[in-house]
Structure formats: structure tokens, C-alpha cells
Amino acid sequence: MDDARSLQPQLGRRDQDKLDEYLTSVRDIEQRVQRMEQFGALPDPHVDAPEGVPADYGEHMNLMMDLLALAFQTDSTRIATLILAADGTNRPFPQIDVPEGHHYCSHHHGQQDLIDKVALIDAYYMQHFARFLDKLDSMRMRTAVRCCTIP
């Protein structure tokens, strides 16, 4: 912060705005990480998880994507990979009323209810990805950012 304060008078208005946007993004992520570290006892999902992972999977995805966006914005990296679910992960999605995991539902054998659940889960992921793309679109970048997914 001392470096940023000393740099501020030397910057033009546009660069001051960009620095302020960057510092605000960093502070927002710091505060969100701090809040996530303060959650209480969680139900046991019967899998090992590192400490500090948010209980809300959507918030966890948003936090990870915001960190990625910040890395792109600062040109800390130009390439990134974010794995949201490893092969065979069978995380339930109670936040969208799907108690089964994507992997289980994907073996639907034509059962419409399981097909519908796969669609709900896919839409849930896409809503978070769209939020990420909107965030990237709203940021001032030093370089162009291209997003792609590989099947």
C-alpha cells in the first residue's frame, strides 16, 4: 500500500483508476478469503478437504475464478487451468436441488430425471463461468484474454 500511495501522484487519471480497480479487487478477494476461513462446523462429506475451502461450492468457484481474473489483469500469467471437478467426482449439488453428483447422473441410461439433473448441473457451472467471463470483460487488461474449454 505504501508503494501504491507513493506511485499515485505520478500517475495520470486513467492509470490511477486502473490502480484503484486493481487494489479494490485484491482487497475484495482478501476479505472473501478471510470470511471463508471463519466458517463453522460443516457436515462431513466423507472426503478429505484442505482447510479454508468454502462450504458453498458456488462461492468457492467464484473465488477461484476471481483469483484467476486478477492474475490475468495483472499479467501475472497468460495461461491458466482451473479444474472444478476431477473425473469421477460425485459432488452433490444441494444448492440446485440435485442430491446426486454429475458422474452418477451422466450414467442415466435414458432416464429423463437423471438427464434433467445433468442439465441443471451443467447450467449451474455455466452460470458461474458466464460470471467469470463478464468479470474479465469488465476489466482493463494489458493483453487480450481468450478463454476456451477442452472437452
Side-chain angles (χ1 to χ4, degrees), residues 1-150:
M1 287 306 297
D2 290 339
D3 289 343
R5 275 190 219 100
S6 67
L7 181 63
Q8 199 103 31
Q10 302 170 35
L11 301 175
R13 186 72 200 140
R14 187 167 180 220
D15 287 335
Q16 286 180 0
D17 289 345
K18 189 171 184 176
L19 179 61
D20 183 57
E21 179 184 355
Y22 167 72
L23 293 173
T24 300
S25 294
V26 169
R27 185 63 190 138
D28 177 60
I29 289 173
E30 286 175 342
Q31 289 172 336
R32 288 168 57 198
V33 167
Q34 288 170 348
R35 280 194 306 272
M36 292 301 119
E37 290 174 342
Q38 295 175 0
F39 60 83
L42 300 174
D44 185 359
H46 306 292
V47 295
D48 293 333
E51 288 188 36
V53 174
D56 182 305
Y57 184 55
E59 178 58 28
H60 179 69
M61 282 192 293
N62 288 342
L63 183 60
M64 297 306 294
M65 290 179 190
D66 287 352
L67 285 169
L68 246 173
L70 192 57
F72 287 141
Q73 184 183 29
T74 60
D75 204 19
S76 298
T77 188
R78 293 183 183 185
I79 299 171
T81 300
L82 178 60
I83 298 175
L84 296 174
D87 291 339
T89 297
N90 225 8
R91 167 193 309 278
F93 291 84
Q95 61 275 34
I96 56 172
D97 297 323
V98 178
E100 300 88 358
H102 188 278
H103 183 84
Y104 172 80
C105 293
S106 70
H107 294 278
H108 51 73
H109 300 289
Q111 292 179 341
Q112 191 59 49
D113 65 320
L114 293 179
I115 293 170
D116 293 344
K117 288 176 181 180
V118 168
L120 283 172
I121 294 168
D122 290 346
Y124 179 71
Y125 277 115
M126 288 301 100
Q127 288 167 353
H128 287 275
F129 187 62
R131 178 192 167 277
F132 173 63
L133 294 177
D134 287 342
K135 184 170 194 76
L136 290 177
D137 189 48
S138 72
M139 293 178 149
R140 291 184 209 108
M141 302 284 184
R142 290 179 54 190
T143 58
V145 174
R146 295 182 188 183
C147 295
C148 68
T149 58
I150 300 172

